[in-house]
């Protein structure tokens, strides 16, 4: 029971922060920010770690595009969502 509650809390927090970011900055600008590896990262205070590639998180899990394994977290690679094992870091 306690695990369910904490999981829901985590989901809610994630959704809220994502909404804030999207309302703040247009999606196109976000992409540009991630591609340009600017040294002055202080300018973007609310930015997530720029080194981290965009990833998708699913509480129920989703199949990796490469190996088909169902995982909670997948990363975008070549336009596909792959698991951590298939992602070329
Ligand atoms: Zn995989």
């Amino acid at each position: 029971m306690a695990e369910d509650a904490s999981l829901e809390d985590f989901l809610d927090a994630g959704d809220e922060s994502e909404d804030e970011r999207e309302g703040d900055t247009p999606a196109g600008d976000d992409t540009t920010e991630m591609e340009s590896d600017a040294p002055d990262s202080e300018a973007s205070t609310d930015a997530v770690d720029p080194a981290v590639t965009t990833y998708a998180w699913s509480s129920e899990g989703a199949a990796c595009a490469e190996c088909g394994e169902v995982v909670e977290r997948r990363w975008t690679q070549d336009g596909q969502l792959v698991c951590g094992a298939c992602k070329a870091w």
Side-chain angles (χ1 to χ4, degrees):
M1 300 301 178
E3 280 178 35
D4 280 350
S6 61
L7 183 60
E8 277 176 30
D9 285 348
F10 178 70
L11 281 170
D12 284 339
D15 281 342
E16 276 172 30
S17 63
E18 209 171 308
D19 284 347
E20 269 179 38
R21 249 165 22 95
E22 281 174 18
D24 230 24
T25 348
D29 194 45
D30 198 38
T31 309
T32 311
E33 220 174 86
M34 286 176 62
E35 282 179 350
S36 63
D37 205 5
D40 56 333
S41 54
E42 287 176 14
S44 49
T45 49
D46 63 334
V48 201
D49 189 350
V52 176
T53 322
T54 309
Y55 68 91
W57 189 81
S58 170
S59 58
E60 295 174 1
C64 163
E66 280 289 321
C67 67
E69 180 164 337
V70 176
V71 292
E72 286 185 355
R73 249 168 299 180
R74 294 175 302 164
W75 285 263
T76 53
Q77 181 172 258
D78 296 333
Q80 292 186 312
L81 288 167
V82 300
C83 72
C86 293
K87 170 90 176 109
W89 297 102

